[in-house]
Amino acid sequence: MSDSVRTADVCVVGAGVSGLFAADNLRKAGLTVDVYEAQSHVGGRVKDTICHDDVTVELGANWFSEQQPLIKAQIERFGIETKRTHNDGEHLIWWNDQRSAFKGILPSLGPIVNSDIIQGMARFERIMAKLQNQEPWDEQFVEYDHMSFGQWIDKTLFTTSGKQFFRMVSEMVFGVESHMVSFLYVLYYSNRSVSLSSLISVDKGHQELRFTHGPRQLCDHLAASIGAENILLNTPVRAIKVADGMVTVDAGHVSGRYRSVLCAMPPPAVKQVIFSPPRDTARERLLQALPMGRVIKVQAVYEKPYWLELGLSGQVMSNHYPLSYTIDNSPTDNQSGVLAAFVGTSHAKAFMAEGVDREKLVADAIDDMFGNKFPKPQKVLIEDWAQNEWIGGSYGAYFPPGVMSRMGHVLREHEPPIYWCGAEYAQTHPCQIEGALESGLRAAKQITEALLAWDRSVAQL
C-alpha cells in the first residue's frame, strides 16, 4: 500500500541527464512533472566525488566536444565553468614491452603498422559516410549488421598491431570487445558522433573539453530548475499500468496517476519494471537483445601532475594488462594531479576478481606506462558501473550482430501514453551526455505535442 498518491501531467522515470532535461523542457512547456529516481542522487551515469583539497573527480561521464551544441547551450544557460583537456606535450605508447613518444592521434608503431592503421581508418570512414542522413536499419546496410566489428578488423587490417589497435578502440570507445558488437552499430555510432577519429581525439575531438567542477553541476542545475519537490529520490518504480487513458505508476511507498510516462532508464533498469499491459513484443525483444558495455573507470590522484614537468601530456596507450589508456584529468590550478585510466571489457573480470589488490595493480601499471618517472598515487578511485543494478554497465547498451537491422527501428517508436528516452535512444552522439540531452529534448517535444493536441480536441467538444 502506497503512503502517498501523486498526480501530474507526466511522470519521468529516471533522473539521469536525459530524464532531467526532458522534465525541464516539459515544465517549460507548461506541463506538471514528477521525476522518480531509484538512486539516492540525480545524474544517472554522471557521478562526481570530491577528493582531498576539494578536487572534483569524475567517476562517470566526463568529456564533451565543441561539436555538441546542446551541452554548450546548457553551459551558457547556467554559467558553468569548463576547461580544455590538457593536450600539450608528448603522448606515450607502451606496446609489446616497448615505450615510445608521439604527437597527434596515431601512435608511433613503426611505418608498416602506422600505414596499416591509416588505411584501415580511411576504409572505415568511407563506409561510415554511406550512413550520412540514413537510418542504419535500411536494407542497404544489412550486410554490415551481419558482421562483427572484429570480423571487419580481421578482414581489413593486415598487421597484428594494427588489429590490436582497432580492438582497443572498440573497448575504449564502445565499451565492448570487437567480436561481440555489430559493425553496423560501430559505423552508426561513429557517423552520428562526427567520425571515428573524432571519438578517439582530444584536439577537436570528443575529449576536448571538461566541466571544471564535474558534470554533476549540469545535473544539479537541471534538478533545481525542475524543483526538488518534484524529484523523488530512492524511489524505484516497480510497476507501470495503463488503463482508462491514464497511467498508474507504483513505486512502493509512493504511487501516482499521470497522463503520460517517459521511461528514461538504461535497459537493465527497464527490465525491473512490470508493465501492464505487457510491453510491446518488439520492444521486449530489443531490450533483451541489448547488453550493456563494460569499461571500468579509474582515477589516480597525485600530489601534482608530475607528467607535465616531464613534457608529457598524460596520455598513454597500452596493450598491457590492465590499463589500456590514460589521460590527464587534473584540476584547473594543477595543485593536484589526476590521471583518468580505463580497464577495457576484456580485462574487467580479472581486474575485479576477489582478492585482487586493484590499487597496487593500477599504480604498478602506471609506473610501467610512464617508465617509473614519478611517485605512486596518493589515492586510486575505481568505478565499475556493471555493479550498479540500476545502470548495469558503461558507457551504454550496444547492438550485437544482427540486431540493429531487424529491431533497431524500435528506438524511434513510442507506445503512447508511454514514451522512451535515454543516451541509447539518441539520434546524435549516442551514449554520451550530448546524446542524452538530445533524446530527452526530442521525447519532451513529442509528449508536449501529444498532450496539447489532446487538450485542444477536448476543448472543441
Side-chain angles (χ1 to χ4, degrees), residues 171-209:
E171 295 197 27
M172 292 299 98
V173 175
F174 310 107
V176 56
E177 291 169 276
S178 62
H179 66 276
M180 296 176 65
V181 63
S182 161
F183 180 47
L184 177 61
Y185 174 69
V186 172
L187 291 168
Y188 168 76
Y189 189 119
S190 302
N191 176 265
R192 295 304 172 92
S193 302
V194 182
S195 67
L196 181 60
S197 57
S198 174
L199 285 164
I200 62 174
S201 300
V202 174
D203 185 30
K204 298 180 182 178
H206 280 64
Q207 288 75 48
E208 183 175 20
L209 296 167

Side-chain angles (χ1 to χ4, degrees), residues 274-348:
I274 298 172
F275 287 78
S276 179
R279 287 189 297 263
D280 176 76
T281 302
R283 186 170 300 278
E284 179 67 24
R285 290 177 63 212
L286 177 64
L287 288 171
Q288 293 298 331
L290 295 184
M292 293 294 284
R294 190 179 189 187
V295 177
I296 298 170
K297 191 170 185 182
V298 176
Q299 299 276 11
V301 183
Y302 295 83
E303 182 180 1
K304 58 182 178 178
Y306 296 101
W307 45 96
L308 301 187
E309 298 174 355
L310 300 170
L312 302 174
S313 66
Q315 295 169 46
V316 187
M317 293 182 187
S318 171
N319 66 350
H320 292 267
Y321 173 81
L323 304 180
S324 297
Y325 183 62
T326 70
I327 184 170
D328 183 287
N329 204 37
S330 304
T332 302
D333 58 12
N334 285 332
Q335 292 304 303
S336 294
V338 181
L339 275 178
F342 301 87
V343 180
T345 182
S346 60
H347 296 316

Side-chain angles (χ1 to χ4, degrees), residues 23 25 40 47 71 112-113 135 243 248 258 279 291 333 373 379 381 383 386 403:
N25 280 277
S40 61
K47 183 180 180 181
I71 291 182
I112 295 176
V113 173
E135 291 290 20
T248 301
Y258 304 93
R279 287 189 297 263
D333 58 12
K373 293 291 181 68
K379 190 170 187 177
L381 303 170
E383 188 71 22
V403 177

